[in-house]
């Protein structure tokens, strides 16, 4: 059923009619574009909601879209064709269209039922018209505002209806990480009602969620696996998130969530968003050579072992090899063998059956090998994998099948392995810390990534890219490096490689105040020790085999708990040493 714009604001329209009548002392009526009376005073108040019968002056105003003034209804030619001329009690009338643009949405009529009021219309018609036009403009603005709000509400309800039909959970947060929208599937996942969580910080509803990272980092992420404890149980989600950008600024984040359940279609959902070789920064001769070798690896189905110091971009190359391989349409699954406790690593790799151990999820859980079926499995830091699991990995590589924890059958898998390590596997084999047979299984195509100090021609390009990434979230926007700053960056030896460079650039973005980044804006360590980083590292005292094992244990603990102050406290407790001792050993082992 059609509802006119004036009908949508009927209460306001009646208030305006009464206000006009009170100010002028003349009766008022207001009709809409269907000639239905929307408001009125005096006798016309009793006919609100009724159509104006027959041919009338209002029809003429509606057609001609202009004001009409009748000073004597008995003699005016415009009244001769009125169907109500014989019973009309009006002596004079002033009619003014209510316009939105060029469209008439209604008419305001001033009606004189007495000679005094008739004389008022005759004497003051110019001033009265000006006043009535203003009242018409007010009603038009109110009607347009109400129409826009109704349209927005309708669109919002439509969108919410669509979202509620989606089986994935969808929620949105504002720029303070407070929930502004949540669909029915997400309500079911978190066992909440929308009205109970709208306006609450997301961590109060979804503790440990990575979604607020988008606000800090300025970039979204795809297919991230997250384990969260809720309601006394561990839940496993796959999350995609993107920033909501308005006028070039991040105003919030929208995310989709999916409960991870065993199933054949799960693998494709778990595929990481991968990068091509073109996305890897570096045009130096040494990097071009590495990319050429990596492309050769991508053209085969062979196992690849990527070696190189920490922070040289091993996972980026693994992603690029997958992206340019025949398996690019299938999942790329990554797991850090050093970041997961030994007690959990087996179930993460091979999965488990329901009831296989205390706390096992109902229905079980597929392992990384199953999720990567048909695609690529990236085993990062494989040199830190426990010996007990190395034997099982070797069996999977030989038999192309996995046996989930608690399962009595083997499941065939078709997975290409790309492994990576920053340790010398041959030395680990000699020390009995890595299986020789697994070493030769992995040592098919070896890709060695150069440290940053051996590809200094790429530092300017890398620094510019990292500056753009981090300055995008800074209030002052992006800046550029001065030549002196570039040279300082190139003179430093970067023992922490690209990861250390990124940290330095991020720190610089925060510190810098001028329009360009100078040497003085760089971290003290960079500008004070440029060119001597590697020499200092070489002058460190030699460490014994026992100390090397301790160094490796500390490095693994830091990878597990993080490099924050709190992470170091947890690492120290895990290693059974005091925090002061840990800091002393970090310095000794150059960690």
């Amino acid at each position: 059923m059609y509802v006119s714009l004036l009908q949508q604001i009927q209460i306001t329209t009646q208030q305006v009619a009464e206000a006009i009548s009170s100010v002028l002392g003349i009766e008022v009526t207001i009709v809409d574009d269907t000639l239905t009376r929307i408001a009125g005073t005096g006798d016309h108040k009793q006919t609100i909601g009724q159509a104006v019968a027959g041919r009338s002056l209002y029809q003429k105003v509606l057609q001609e879209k202009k004001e009409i003034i009748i000073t004597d209804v008995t003699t005016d030619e415009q009244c001769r064709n009125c169907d109500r001329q014989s019973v009309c009690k009006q002596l004079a009338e002033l009619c003014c269209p209510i316009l939105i643009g060029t469209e008439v949405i209604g008419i305001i009529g001033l009606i004189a039922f007495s000679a005094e009021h008739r004389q008022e219309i005759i004497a003051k018609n110019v001033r009265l018209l000006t006043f009535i036009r203003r009242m018409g403009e007010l009603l038009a603005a109110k009607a347009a505002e109400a129409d826009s709000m109704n349209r927005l509400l309708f669109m919002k309800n439509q969108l919410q209806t669509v979202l509620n039909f989606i089986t994935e959970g969808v929620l949105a947060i504002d720029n303070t990480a407070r929930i502004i929208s949540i669909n029915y599937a997400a309500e079911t996942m978190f066992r909440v009602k929308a009205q109970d969580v709208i306006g609450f910080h997301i961590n109060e509803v979804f503790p440990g969620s990575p979604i607020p990272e988008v606000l800090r980092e300025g970039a979204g992420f795809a297919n991230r696996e997250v384990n969260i404890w809720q309601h006394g149980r561990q839940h496993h989600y796959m999350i995609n998130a993107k920033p909501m950008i308005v006028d070039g600024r991040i105003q919030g984040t929208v995310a989709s969530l999916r409960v991870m359940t065993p199933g054949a279609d799960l693998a494709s959902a778990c595929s990481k968003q991968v990068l091509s070789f073109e996305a890897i920064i570096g045009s130096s001769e040494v990097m071009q050579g590495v990319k050429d070798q990596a492309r050769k690896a991508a053209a085969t189905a062979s196992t690849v072992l990527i070696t190189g110091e920490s922070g040289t971009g091993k996972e980026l190359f693994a992603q690029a090899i997958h992206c340019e391989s025949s398996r690019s349409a299938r999942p790329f699954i990554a797991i850090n063998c050093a970041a997961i406790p030994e007690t959990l690593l087996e179930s993460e790799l091979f999965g488990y059956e329901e009831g296989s151990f205390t706390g096992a999820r109902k229905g079980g859980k597929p392992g990384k090998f199953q999720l990567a079926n048909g695609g690529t499995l990236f085993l990062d830091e494989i040199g830190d994998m426990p010996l007990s699991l190395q034997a099982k990995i070797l069996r999977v590589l030989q038999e192309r099948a996995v046996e989930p924890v608690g399962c009595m059958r083997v499941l065939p898998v078709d997975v290409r392995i790309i492994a990576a390590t920053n340790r010398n596997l041959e030395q680990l084999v000699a020390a009995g810390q890595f299986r020789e047979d697994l070493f030769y299984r992995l040592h098919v195509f070896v890709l060695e990534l150069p440290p940053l100090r051996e590809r200094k021609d790429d530092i300017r390009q890398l620094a510019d890219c990292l500056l753009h990434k981090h300055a995008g979230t800074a209030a002052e926007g992006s800046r550029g490096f001065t030549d002196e700053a570039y040279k300082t960056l190139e003179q430093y030896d970067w023992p922490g490689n690209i990861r250390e460079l990124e940290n330095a650039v991020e720190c610089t973005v925060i510190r810098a105040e001028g329009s360009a980044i100078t040497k003085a804006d760089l971290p003290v360590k960079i500008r004070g020790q440029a060119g001597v980083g590697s020499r200092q590292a070489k002058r460190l005292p030699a460490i014994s085999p026992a100390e090397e094992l301790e160094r490796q244990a500390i490095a693994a603990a830091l990878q597990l708990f993080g490099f924050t102050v709190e992470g170091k406290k947890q690492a120290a407790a895990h290693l059974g040493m005091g925090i002061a001792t840990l800091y002393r050993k970090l310095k000794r082992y150059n960690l």
Side-chain angles (χ1 to χ4, degrees), residues 244-311:
M244 295 188 292
I245 300 176
V246 180
D247 295 330
R249 298 175 65 88
I250 296 176
Q251 299 295 341
T253 304
V254 62
S256 65
L257 305 96
R258 182 175 179 179
V259 177
M260 296 285 285
T261 54
D265 65 332
L266 191 58
S268 60
C270 295
S271 178
K272 287 190 66 175
Q273 186 176 14
V274 296
L275 303 172
S276 65
F277 287 113
E278 285 71 22
I280 299 176
I281 298 171
S283 55
S284 62
E285 184 177 349
V286 63
M287 278 300 288
Q288 290 301 328
V290 172
K291 288 183 182 180
D292 289 343
Q293 290 298 310
R295 285 191 173 93
K296 293 178 181 178
T300 73
S302 300
T303 299
V304 178
L305 177 63
I306 304 176
T307 64
E309 296 178 7
S310 179

Side-chain angles (χ1 to χ4, degrees), residues 87-311:
V87 295
C88 183
K89 298 179 182 180
Q90 300 173 188
L91 301 180
E93 186 168 1
L94 182 154
C95 294
C96 180
I98 304 171
L99 295 166
I100 294 182
T102 59
E103 295 299 315
V104 179
I105 67 167
I107 302 156
I108 301 176
L110 296 185
I111 306 166
F113 287 101
S114 66
E116 179 186 356
H117 290 162
R118 175 173 171 269
Q119 190 60 40
E120 188 84 7
I121 290 177
I122 294 172
K124 300 179 180 178
N125 63 74
V126 175
R127 282 184 288 174
L128 289 176
L129 265 178
T130 301
F131 178 66
I132 297 305
R133 286 188 192 122
R134 296 293 179 266
M135 293 298 101
E137 290 169 1
L138 171 65
L139 286 174
K142 287 288 185 182
E145 179 184 351
D147 187 54
S148 295
M149 290 299 296
N150 288 336
R151 289 176 185 271
L152 287 173
L153 183 61
F154 178 70
M155 291 172 62
K156 177 179 179 293
N157 290 337
Q158 276 189 320
L159 180 60
Q160 194 64 45
T161 300
V162 171
L163 289 176
N164 285 336
F165 271 100
I166 296 175
T167 56
E168 287 191 352
V170 179
L171 62 82
I173 60 174
D174 63 15
N175 56 9
T176 65
R178 297 188 179 278
I179 297 173
I180 56 176
S181 179
I182 182 170
N183 74 341
Y184 177 75
E187 287 181 306
T188 304
M189 284 182 193
F190 303 136
R191 302 182 189 178
V192 297
K193 293 293 182 183
Q195 62 266 25
D196 296 331
V197 298
I198 297 294
F200 282 80
H201 196 282
I202 188 172
N203 285 339
E204 297 182 68
V205 180
F206 192 11
S209 163
I211 297 173
E213 288 180 16
V214 177
L215 300 176
R216 298 190 298 269
E217 301 292 337
F221 56 80
N223 298 320
R224 181 176 297 186
E225 297 177 58
V226 177
N227 293 308
I228 301 291
W229 279 97
Q230 290 177 299
H231 309 294
R233 293 182 57 194
Q234 189 179 57
H235 298 265
H236 195 53
Y237 298 103
M238 181 67 70
I239 305 177
N240 298 279
K242 285 189 175 182
M244 295 188 292
I245 300 176
V246 180
D247 295 330
R249 298 175 65 88
I250 296 176
Q251 299 295 341
T253 304
V254 62
S256 65
L257 305 96
R258 182 175 179 179
V259 177
M260 296 285 285
T261 54
D265 65 332
L266 191 58
S268 60
C270 295
S271 178
K272 287 190 66 175
Q273 186 176 14
V274 296
L275 303 172
S276 65
F277 287 113
E278 285 71 22
I280 299 176
I281 298 171
S283 55
S284 62
E285 184 177 349
V286 63
M287 278 300 288
Q288 290 301 328
V290 172
K291 288 183 182 180
D292 289 343
Q293 290 298 310
R295 285 191 173 93
K296 293 178 181 178
T300 73
S302 300
T303 299
V304 178
L305 177 63
I306 304 176
T307 64
E309 296 178 7
S310 179

Side-chain angles (χ1 to χ4, degrees), residues 481-524:
F481 291 95
T482 64
D483 285 340
E484 185 183 27
Y486 276 130
K487 290 176 182 177
T488 303
L489 293 175
E490 290 169 342
Q491 289 169 1
Y492 185 66
D493 279 330
W494 302 107
N497 294 296
I498 300 172
R499 189 175 294 121
E500 184 182 7
L501 175 61
E502 179 166 9
N503 291 341
V505 171
E506 184 175 4
C507 174
T508 300
V509 168
I510 297 170
R511 289 161 51 96
E513 296 180 354
S515 58
I517 293 176
T518 67
K519 177 180 178 180
D521 295 320
L522 299 175
V524 175

Side-chain angles (χ1 to χ4, degrees), residues 258-422:
R258 182 175 179 179
V259 177
M260 296 285 285
T261 54
D265 65 332
L266 191 58
S268 60
C270 295
S271 178
K272 287 190 66 175
Q273 186 176 14
V274 296
L275 303 172
S276 65
F277 287 113
E278 285 71 22
I280 299 176
I281 298 171
S283 55
S284 62
E285 184 177 349
V286 63
M287 278 300 288
Q288 290 301 328
V290 172
K291 288 183 182 180
D292 289 343
Q293 290 298 310
R295 285 191 173 93
K296 293 178 181 178
T300 73
S302 300
T303 299
V304 178
L305 177 63
I306 304 176
T307 64
E309 296 178 7
S310 179
T312 51
K314 293 186 285 295
E315 183 169 354
L316 293 181
F317 270 89
Q319 291 184 29
I321 291 171
H322 170 80
C323 183
E324 296 200 12
S325 74
S326 59
R327 296 173 178 259
S328 60
R330 301 299 295 163
F332 175 87
I333 304 297
I335 184 169
N336 189 317
C337 301
I340 300 175
E342 181 177 351
T343 53
L344 298 178
L345 188 55
E346 182 176 3
S347 62
E348 284 292 319
L349 283 169
F350 308 120
Y352 59 79
E353 289 285 283
E354 179 179 342
S356 56
F357 54 85
T358 302
R361 188 173 65 187
K362 185 177 181 181
K365 177 188 172 183
K368 293 297 190 291
F369 272 96
Q370 293 163 267
L371 297 177
N373 193 34
T376 302
L377 179 62
F378 176 55
L379 299 175
D380 197 9
E381 305 296 354
I382 195 167
D384 296 290
M385 178 177 286
L387 281 168
S388 58
L389 277 181
Q390 291 178 26
K392 295 186 178 183
I393 290 289
L394 179 64
R395 182 180 175 186
V396 173
L397 294 179
Q398 291 173 337
E399 300 180 4
R400 300 284 180 180
V402 296
E403 184 177 337
V405 177
C407 184
M408 301 303 293
R409 66 188 190 282
V410 293
L411 305 175
V413 291
D414 173 24
V415 174
R416 180 191 192 170
I417 297 294
I418 300 179
T421 183
N422 60 0

